[in-house]
Structure formats: structure tokens, C-alpha cells
Amino acid sequence: MNPFRYARADDAADAVALVTAGGTAAFLGGGTNLVDLMRETVARPDSLVDVSGLSDEITETDTGGLLIGAAVRNTALAGHLSVRTRYPLLSRAILGGASAQIRNMATVGGNILQRTRCTYFYDTAGSRCNKRDPGAGCDAIGGFNRIHAILDASPECVATHPSDMCVALAALDATVHIRSSGGARTIAFTDLHRAPGETPEYDTVLEPGDLIVAVELPALPFGAHSTYRKVRDRASYAFALVSVAAALDVQDGQVRDVRIALGGVAHRPWRAWKAEAALRGAPATAQSYRDAADAELADARPLSDNGFKIELARRTIVAVLTELAGPDGEAA
């Protein structure tokens, strides 16, 4: 690990000032991803600004939603009563995301900004990776790519975003609150993460010195009727091959409204806009769910080892929506 300086921020303004003072500083939350990257010399900041003691509360908003501080630990968020009752898909996503020890350390802001778990990205000694070393090439494309993207990839990068929590936040129309030297602003969660394009080294649209201070969940009347399903190679601590976060509102056998997001299939948490559009106003039937899944996956482009993800995603979408609709096709 390279030597680095350490400072603990007193507040958001102090954190931004410290990280923009010069050099290659980075914000430090729980460190569950950044410290690993530093050990592997993938990340080499010359200073760390500790923000783990800032904005660590969950509060009600005036519009009936929740404002979640970026330093809230994943365990606290998953166990919060309002989250478990009003947004159960978020609680289930977090609980499916990591070991209890990691959830106890990991913060909301850090979870959002975690980087891919592509093996080639971590292999600094023997692999080419455009995300780690722009212009080097992508060994995953012609290599072992079973866990990689089937949607929205590029010739430069086929890595997937690893977060379970982020899939739920994408489905919930969350908003990210940012603080920078230029002031405060908000970004729709679905606009935060980038497609790889020709510059896969940039995971998000954030600028240097931008600090995530909170995530806001809007009120969602049918958010309580939601779930998260993660399909993985083993039941304990594995990243998703495919995951689905969904909330469903059915009335008189017809889909009135729906939210769907997918994980494990793209460079960013994937909001299933096409599937949602196909379902609104459609009968709450397995055929409608299959048609919606087909619409979403029509542009999927599998690699040599991950073609199974298309059918796996299709079946998981259908299974999750069927579960939410109940045996009579009527969401409770």
C-alpha cells in the first residue's frame, strides 16, 4: 500500500475543502471497498478525508419520504423501521449484499460509489483493464466473462456494478444530494452512474471534490408492496449474477403502476424503463410479465460465457412480479 495522509472532517464544508486542497485525495467512509483497492494498488490516493462521522441520520421529509445521511451504516439502514415497512425492497437488497461485518462498517455513500468486482480490474500484475488503466484494453471481453454485462456495455468495458443497495435505490426513484465547493445540488439516482462508453474509468457523473451527503427517497404509496431477489452462485456473500428490485401496484387484475430495476447485468444499476412502460395498464399475468421482460432484454448482447443471463433475467423478472401479484394476480 502506498503511504498516505489522513484527516477527519468536521463537517461537509471541511471535507470538501480538505479533498480539494491538492493532490489525489479521496473521501473515506467505511473503507470496505476503498481500502481493498488501496491494498491492491488499484487506488492510490495520497490522502484520505474521513467522512464517516458526518450525516449519519435518517429523517422524515416534508413530502412523506426519507432523507438518509450518506454516513448511515448499511446495517442501520436495513433495520430502520420506516425502511422495512415502507421500502422493504431496500432492506432486503442490503441484507442480501454482504456479510454482517461488512454491513456494520459500510456506509450509504460508500456503497453507492463502490467499484466493479471484475477480476481483471483487480489484477494489476497481469491483466489489461481500461477502467484501471485507460487505453490498456479489456481482457474480460475475450476472457472469463461469466459475471459481466449483457446490457449497455462497450468495446472498452463490460464490467458490472456490484451494489445490491443501488439496484433498489434505482427502482425507488431516489435522489442524491451533493455538496461541493460550488454549493449544493441534487442528482436523480438513475442519472448518477455512467455507461462505460469510451471512458469506463469514470463510474459516475460526479466531479472531483463532489461529496455525497444524503440520499432522498420519495414517498411511494405502493412501495410497501415490493421485494428484492438476488440470484447468485452461492447463498452466502456472493455478487449477483442477476438481481431484480420491484414494486407493484395491481388493481382489478390490471397493473396500475410498477417499478423495476436490475442488477448484475450492466455497468450501472439498470432501471427497467421499457419493462415498466410495457406493464402499465397491462393485465397482471405471467404473459404480461414475460412480454415486459422481453422488451427490456431485447437489446441484450451476451459475451462468450454469460448468455445464460438473458434467460435468467427474464425468469427472475417474471418470478418476482408473480410473487408480488399473488396467486390471484392481485397485489395486496
Side-chain angles (χ1 to χ4, degrees), residues 9-20 26-27 49 51 54-55 67-71 109 112-113 175-187 192 204-215:
D10 296 326
D11 52 35
D14 184 39
V16 171
L18 286 168
V19 88
T20 55
F27 295 118
V49 177
V51 294
L54 310 181
S55 56
L67 187 67
I68 303 162
I112 291 170
L113 296 178
T175 301
V176 182
H177 291 247
I178 310 295
R179 178 71 178 268
S180 70
S181 57
R185 70 184 193 279
T186 60
I187 301 174
L192 179 67
T204 71
V205 299
L206 297 181
E207 298 292 337
D210 282 352
L211 173 65
I212 295 176
V213 295
V215 175

Short mmCIF file of all heavy atoms in Angstrom, two decimals, residues 9-20 26-27 49 51 54-55 67-71 109 112-113 175-187 192 204-215:
data_model
loop_
_atom_site.label_atom_id
_atom_site.label_comp_id
_atom_site.label_asym_id
_atom_site.label_seq_id
_atom_site.Cartn_x
_atom_site.Cartn_y
_atom_site.Cartn_z
N ALA A 9 -12.80 14.92 8.79
CA ALA A 9 -13.55 16.15 8.53
C ALA A 9 -14.52 16.46 9.66
O ALA A 9 -15.13 15.57 10.24
CB ALA A 9 -14.32 16.01 7.22
N ASP A 10 -14.67 17.75 9.95
CA ASP A 10 -15.60 18.20 10.99
C ASP A 10 -17.02 18.33 10.46
O ASP A 10 -17.99 18.15 11.19
CB ASP A 10 -15.14 19.54 11.56
CG ASP A 10 -13.81 19.44 12.28
OD1 ASP A 10 -13.55 18.40 12.89
OD2 ASP A 10 -13.03 20.41 12.20
N ASP A 11 -17.15 18.69 9.18
CA ASP A 11 -18.46 18.83 8.55
C ASP A 11 -18.26 18.72 7.04
O ASP A 11 -17.14 18.54 6.56
CB ASP A 11 -19.14 20.15 8.93
CG ASP A 11 -18.25 21.37 8.69
OD1 ASP A 11 -17.47 21.35 7.71
OD2 ASP A 11 -18.35 22.33 9.47
N ALA A 12 -19.36 18.85 6.30
CA ALA A 12 -19.28 18.66 4.85
C ALA A 12 -18.39 19.70 4.19
O ALA A 12 -17.60 19.38 3.30
CB ALA A 12 -20.68 18.69 4.24
N ALA A 13 -18.51 20.94 4.62
CA ALA A 13 -17.68 22.01 4.03
C ALA A 13 -16.20 21.74 4.28
O ALA A 13 -15.36 21.94 3.40
CB ALA A 13 -18.09 23.36 4.61
N ASP A 14 -15.88 21.30 5.48
CA ASP A 14 -14.49 20.97 5.81
C ASP A 14 -14.00 19.81 4.96
O ASP A 14 -12.87 19.82 4.45
CB ASP A 14 -14.40 20.61 7.30
CG ASP A 14 -12.98 20.35 7.76
OD1 ASP A 14 -12.06 21.07 7.31
OD2 ASP A 14 -12.78 19.41 8.57
N ALA A 15 -14.85 18.80 4.77
CA ALA A 15 -14.47 17.65 3.95
C ALA A 15 -14.15 18.06 2.52
O ALA A 15 -13.15 17.63 1.94
CB ALA A 15 -15.58 16.61 3.96
N VAL A 16 -15.01 18.88 1.94
CA VAL A 16 -14.79 19.32 0.57
C VAL A 16 -13.51 20.15 0.47
O VAL A 16 -12.71 19.98 -0.47
CB VAL A 16 -16.01 20.13 0.07
CG1 VAL A 16 -15.71 20.80 -1.27
CG2 VAL A 16 -17.23 19.24 -0.04
N ALA A 17 -13.28 21.02 1.44
CA ALA A 17 -12.06 21.84 1.42
C ALA A 17 -10.81 20.98 1.53
O ALA A 17 -9.82 21.21 0.83
CB ALA A 17 -12.11 22.86 2.57
N LEU A 18 -10.86 19.97 2.36
CA LEU A 18 -9.69 19.11 2.55
C LEU A 18 -9.39 18.29 1.29
O LEU A 18 -8.23 18.12 0.91
CB LEU A 18 -9.92 18.16 3.73
CG LEU A 18 -9.82 18.78 5.12
CD1 LEU A 18 -10.35 17.80 6.17
CD2 LEU A 18 -8.39 19.18 5.43
N VAL A 19 -10.44 17.79 0.63
CA VAL A 19 -10.20 16.91 -0.50
C VAL A 19 -9.84 17.68 -1.77
O VAL A 19 -9.29 17.12 -2.72
CB VAL A 19 -11.42 16.00 -0.74
CG1 VAL A 19 -12.45 16.66 -1.65
CG2 VAL A 19 -11.02 14.64 -1.30
N THR A 20 -10.16 18.98 -1.79
CA THR A 20 -9.82 19.79 -2.96
C THR A 20 -8.58 20.64 -2.73
O THR A 20 -8.25 21.50 -3.56
CB THR A 20 -11.00 20.72 -3.33
OG1 THR A 20 -11.36 21.51 -2.19
CG2 THR A 20 -12.20 19.91 -3.79
N ALA A 26 -9.04 11.40 -1.43
CA ALA A 26 -10.28 10.64 -1.59
C ALA A 26 -11.06 10.69 -0.29
O ALA A 26 -10.48 10.75 0.80
CB ALA A 26 -9.98 9.19 -1.96
N PHE A 27 -12.38 10.68 -0.41
CA PHE A 27 -13.23 10.59 0.77
C PHE A 27 -13.22 9.15 1.29
O PHE A 27 -13.27 8.19 0.50
CB PHE A 27 -14.67 11.00 0.44
CG PHE A 27 -14.82 12.45 0.05
CD1 PHE A 27 -15.27 12.79 -1.22
CD2 PHE A 27 -14.52 13.45 0.95
CE1 PHE A 27 -15.43 14.12 -1.58
CE2 PHE A 27 -14.67 14.79 0.60
CZ PHE A 27 -15.12 15.12 -0.66
N VAL A 49 -9.72 11.63 3.43
CA VAL A 49 -10.52 12.53 4.26
C VAL A 49 -11.69 11.72 4.80
O VAL A 49 -12.58 11.31 4.05
CB VAL A 49 -11.02 13.74 3.44
CG1 VAL A 49 -11.92 14.62 4.31
CG2 VAL A 49 -9.84 14.53 2.89
N VAL A 51 -15.04 10.88 6.26
CA VAL A 51 -16.36 11.50 6.36
C VAL A 51 -17.36 10.55 7.04
O VAL A 51 -18.56 10.77 6.97
CB VAL A 51 -16.88 11.90 4.96
CG1 VAL A 51 -16.02 13.00 4.36
CG2 VAL A 51 -16.93 10.69 4.01
N LEU A 54 -20.03 12.02 9.48
CA LEU A 54 -20.93 13.09 9.02
C LEU A 54 -22.26 12.52 8.55
O LEU A 54 -22.34 11.39 8.07
CB LEU A 54 -20.28 13.86 7.87
CG LEU A 54 -18.85 14.35 8.07
CD1 LEU A 54 -18.39 15.10 6.83
CD2 LEU A 54 -18.76 15.24 9.31
N SER A 55 -23.31 13.31 8.62
CA SER A 55 -24.63 13.00 8.05
C SER A 55 -25.01 11.53 8.22
O SER A 55 -25.20 10.80 7.26
CB SER A 55 -24.65 13.37 6.55
OG SER A 55 -23.62 12.73 5.83
N LEU A 67 -34.98 10.99 4.20
CA LEU A 67 -33.67 11.54 3.87
C LEU A 67 -32.64 10.73 4.65
O LEU A 67 -32.66 10.72 5.89
CB LEU A 67 -33.59 13.02 4.25
CG LEU A 67 -32.31 13.74 3.78
CD1 LEU A 67 -32.28 13.84 2.26
CD2 LEU A 67 -32.22 15.13 4.40
N ILE A 68 -31.77 10.07 3.91
CA ILE A 68 -30.81 9.13 4.50
C ILE A 68 -29.41 9.73 4.40
O ILE A 68 -28.91 9.97 3.30
CB ILE A 68 -30.85 7.79 3.74
CG1 ILE A 68 -32.26 7.21 3.76
CG2 ILE A 68 -29.84 6.81 4.36
CD1 ILE A 68 -32.49 6.14 2.71
N GLY A 69 -28.78 9.99 5.52
CA GLY A 69 -27.44 10.54 5.51
C GLY A 69 -26.45 9.59 4.87
O GLY A 69 -26.56 8.37 5.00
N ALA A 70 -25.47 10.15 4.18
CA ALA A 70 -24.51 9.33 3.45
C ALA A 70 -23.65 8.48 4.36
O ALA A 70 -23.10 7.45 3.93
CB ALA A 70 -23.61 10.22 2.59
N ALA A 71 -23.51 8.87 5.64
CA ALA A 71 -22.69 8.10 6.57
C ALA A 71 -23.48 7.06 7.36
O ALA A 71 -22.92 6.38 8.22
CB ALA A 71 -21.97 9.04 7.53
N GLY A 109 -23.08 6.24 1.35
CA GLY A 109 -22.31 6.92 0.31
C GLY A 109 -21.25 6.03 -0.30
O GLY A 109 -21.05 6.02 -1.51
N ILE A 112 -22.74 3.38 -2.67
CA ILE A 112 -23.09 3.95 -3.97
C ILE A 112 -21.86 4.06 -4.87
O ILE A 112 -21.95 3.85 -6.08
CB ILE A 112 -23.74 5.33 -3.78
CG1 ILE A 112 -25.12 5.18 -3.13
CG2 ILE A 112 -23.86 6.08 -5.11
CD1 ILE A 112 -25.73 6.50 -2.69
N LEU A 113 -20.72 4.39 -4.28
CA LEU A 113 -19.52 4.67 -5.07
C LEU A 113 -18.57 3.49 -5.17
O LEU A 113 -17.46 3.64 -5.71
CB LEU A 113 -18.78 5.87 -4.46
CG LEU A 113 -19.55 7.19 -4.49
CD1 LEU A 113 -18.74 8.28 -3.82
CD2 LEU A 113 -19.90 7.58 -5.93
N THR A 175 -33.04 10.30 -5.02
CA THR A 175 -32.30 11.49 -5.40
C THR A 175 -31.06 11.59 -4.53
O THR A 175 -31.12 11.35 -3.32
CB THR A 175 -33.16 12.76 -5.23
OG1 THR A 175 -34.33 12.65 -6.03
CG2 THR A 175 -32.38 14.00 -5.64
N VAL A 176 -29.93 11.94 -5.13
CA VAL A 176 -28.67 12.05 -4.41
C VAL A 176 -28.38 13.53 -4.14
O VAL A 176 -28.42 14.35 -5.07
CB VAL A 176 -27.52 11.42 -5.21
CG1 VAL A 176 -26.21 11.48 -4.42
CG2 VAL A 176 -27.84 9.97 -5.56
N HIS A 177 -28.08 13.86 -2.89
CA HIS A 177 -27.74 15.22 -2.51
C HIS A 177 -26.22 15.35 -2.47
O HIS A 177 -25.53 14.57 -1.79
CB HIS A 177 -28.33 15.56 -1.14
CG HIS A 177 -29.82 15.67 -1.14
ND1 HIS A 177 -30.48 16.86 -0.94
CD2 HIS A 177 -30.79 14.74 -1.35
CE1 HIS A 177 -31.78 16.66 -0.99
NE2 HIS A 177 -32.00 15.38 -1.25
N ILE A 178 -25.70 16.36 -3.18
CA ILE A 178 -24.26 16.56 -3.36
C ILE A 178 -23.84 17.89 -2.75
O ILE A 178 -24.56 18.89 -2.86
CB ILE A 178 -23.88 16.56 -4.86
CG1 ILE A 178 -24.47 15.33 -5.57
CG2 ILE A 178 -22.37 16.65 -5.04
CD1 ILE A 178 -23.91 14.03 -5.11
N ARG A 179 -22.67 17.89 -2.13
CA ARG A 179 -22.06 19.14 -1.67
C ARG A 179 -20.70 19.27 -2.33
O ARG A 179 -19.92 18.31 -2.38
CB ARG A 179 -21.90 19.10 -0.14
CG ARG A 179 -21.23 20.35 0.46
CD ARG A 179 -22.15 21.56 0.39
NE ARG A 179 -21.53 22.73 1.01
CZ ARG A 179 -21.67 23.07 2.29
NH1 ARG A 179 -22.43 22.33 3.09
NH2 ARG A 179 -21.08 24.13 2.76
N SER A 180 -20.39 20.44 -2.85
CA SER A 180 -19.10 20.70 -3.47
C SER A 180 -18.66 22.11 -3.14
O SER A 180 -19.38 22.87 -2.46
CB SER A 180 -19.17 20.51 -4.99
OG SER A 180 -19.93 21.55 -5.59
N SER A 181 -17.50 22.51 -3.64
CA SER A 181 -17.02 23.87 -3.40
C SER A 181 -17.94 24.89 -4.06
O SER A 181 -17.96 26.07 -3.68
CB SER A 181 -15.60 24.02 -3.92
OG SER A 181 -15.53 23.69 -5.30
N GLY A 182 -18.72 24.46 -5.05
CA GLY A 182 -19.64 25.36 -5.73
C GLY A 182 -21.01 25.45 -5.08
O GLY A 182 -21.88 26.18 -5.56
N GLY A 183 -21.23 24.68 -4.00
CA GLY A 183 -22.52 24.71 -3.32
C GLY A 183 -23.18 23.34 -3.29
O GLY A 183 -22.52 22.31 -3.43
N ALA A 184 -24.49 23.35 -3.14
CA ALA A 184 -25.27 22.11 -3.03
C ALA A 184 -26.09 21.90 -4.30
O ALA A 184 -26.54 22.85 -4.94
CB ALA A 184 -26.18 22.16 -1.81
N ARG A 185 -26.29 20.63 -4.66
CA ARG A 185 -27.14 20.29 -5.79
C ARG A 185 -27.67 18.87 -5.60
O ARG A 185 -27.21 18.14 -4.71
CB ARG A 185 -26.41 20.42 -7.13
CG ARG A 185 -25.34 19.37 -7.40
CD ARG A 185 -24.62 19.68 -8.70
NE ARG A 185 -23.81 18.57 -9.19
CZ ARG A 185 -22.59 18.28 -8.75
NH1 ARG A 185 -22.04 19.03 -7.80
NH2 ARG A 185 -21.91 17.26 -9.26
N THR A 186 -28.61 18.48 -6.43
CA THR A 186 -29.15 17.12 -6.38
C THR A 186 -29.05 16.48 -7.76
O THR A 186 -29.04 17.17 -8.79
CB THR A 186 -30.62 17.10 -5.92
OG1 THR A 186 -31.41 17.88 -6.84
CG2 THR A 186 -30.76 17.66 -4.52
N ILE A 187 -28.97 15.15 -7.76
CA ILE A 187 -28.91 14.37 -9.00
C ILE A 187 -29.88 13.21 -8.86
O ILE A 187 -29.88 12.52 -7.82
CB ILE A 187 -27.49 13.82 -9.26
CG1 ILE A 187 -26.46 14.95 -9.35
CG2 ILE A 187 -27.45 12.98 -10.53
CD1 ILE A 187 -25.02 14.45 -9.46
N LEU A 192 -26.93 9.17 -11.97
CA LEU A 192 -25.64 9.28 -11.27
C LEU A 192 -24.55 8.42 -11.90
O LEU A 192 -23.43 8.89 -12.14
CB LEU A 192 -25.81 8.89 -9.80
CG LEU A 192 -24.54 8.93 -8.95
CD1 LEU A 192 -24.04 10.36 -8.78
CD2 LEU A 192 -24.78 8.28 -7.59
N THR A 204 -19.20 7.50 -12.38
CA THR A 204 -20.34 8.38 -12.13
C THR A 204 -20.13 9.73 -12.81
O THR A 204 -19.07 10.00 -13.38
CB THR A 204 -20.53 8.63 -10.62
OG1 THR A 204 -19.47 9.47 -10.14
CG2 THR A 204 -20.54 7.33 -9.83
N VAL A 205 -21.14 10.59 -12.70
CA VAL A 205 -21.04 11.94 -13.26
C VAL A 205 -20.49 12.92 -12.24
O VAL A 205 -20.41 14.12 -12.51
CB VAL A 205 -22.42 12.43 -13.75
CG1 VAL A 205 -22.94 11.53 -14.86
CG2 VAL A 205 -23.43 12.50 -12.60
N LEU A 206 -20.09 12.45 -11.07
CA LEU A 206 -19.55 13.34 -10.05
C LEU A 206 -18.23 13.94 -10.49
O LEU A 206 -17.43 13.30 -11.18
CB LEU A 206 -19.33 12.58 -8.74
CG LEU A 206 -20.58 12.01 -8.06
CD1 LEU A 206 -20.19 11.31 -6.76
CD2 LEU A 206 -21.62 13.10 -7.80
N GLU A 207 -18.01 15.18 -10.08
CA GLU A 207 -16.76 15.89 -10.36
C GLU A 207 -15.83 15.74 -9.17
O GLU A 207 -16.26 15.44 -8.05
CB GLU A 207 -17.05 17.37 -10.62
CG GLU A 207 -17.95 17.64 -11.81
CD GLU A 207 -17.29 17.31 -13.13
OE1 GLU A 207 -16.04 17.30 -13.19
OE2 GLU A 207 -18.02 17.07 -14.11
N PRO A 208 -14.52 15.93 -9.37
CA PRO A 208 -13.59 15.89 -8.24
C PRO A 208 -14.02 16.86 -7.14
O PRO A 208 -14.35 18.01 -7.41
CB PRO A 208 -12.26 16.32 -8.87
CG PRO A 208 -12.38 15.91 -10.30
CD PRO A 208 -13.82 16.15 -10.66
N GLY A 209 -14.03 16.38 -5.91
CA GLY A 209 -14.45 17.21 -4.79
C GLY A 209 -15.93 17.13 -4.46
O GLY A 209 -16.36 17.67 -3.45
N ASP A 210 -16.72 16.46 -5.30
CA ASP A 210 -18.14 16.28 -5.00
C ASP A 210 -18.31 15.27 -3.87
O ASP A 210 -17.78 14.15 -3.93
CB ASP A 210 -18.89 15.77 -6.23
CG ASP A 210 -19.18 16.86 -7.24
OD1 ASP A 210 -18.94 18.03 -6.94
OD2 ASP A 210 -19.65 16.52 -8.34
N LEU A 211 -19.06 15.65 -2.86
CA LEU A 211 -19.31 14.79 -1.72
C LEU A 211 -20.79 14.44 -1.64
O LEU A 211 -21.64 15.33 -1.60
CB LEU A 211 -18.88 15.49 -0.42
CG LEU A 211 -19.22 14.78 0.90
CD1 LEU A 211 -18.47 13.47 1.02
CD2 LEU A 211 -18.93 15.69 2.09
N ILE A 212 -21.11 13.16 -1.64
CA ILE A 212 -22.49 12.73 -1.40
C ILE A 212 -22.79 12.93 0.07
O ILE A 212 -22.09 12.39 0.94
CB ILE A 212 -22.69 11.26 -1.79
CG1 ILE A 212 -22.49 11.07 -3.30
CG2 ILE A 212 -24.09 10.78 -1.40
CD1 ILE A 212 -22.57 9.62 -3.75
N VAL A 213 -23.81 13.72 0.38
CA VAL A 213 -24.16 13.98 1.78
C VAL A 213 -25.44 13.26 2.21
O VAL A 213 -25.65 13.03 3.40
CB VAL A 213 -24.28 15.49 2.06
CG1 VAL A 213 -22.93 16.17 1.90
CG2 VAL A 213 -25.33 16.14 1.17
N ALA A 214 -26.29 12.90 1.24
CA ALA A 214 -27.53 12.22 1.61
C ALA A 214 -28.17 11.61 0.36
O ALA A 214 -27.85 11.98 -0.77
CB ALA A 214 -28.51 13.19 2.27
N VAL A 215 -29.08 10.69 0.61
CA VAL A 215 -29.92 10.11 -0.43
C VAL A 215 -31.37 10.29 0.01
O VAL A 215 -31.71 9.99 1.16
CB VAL A 215 -29.62 8.62 -0.65
CG1 VAL A 215 -30.60 8.02 -1.65
CG2 VAL A 215 -28.19 8.42 -1.12
#
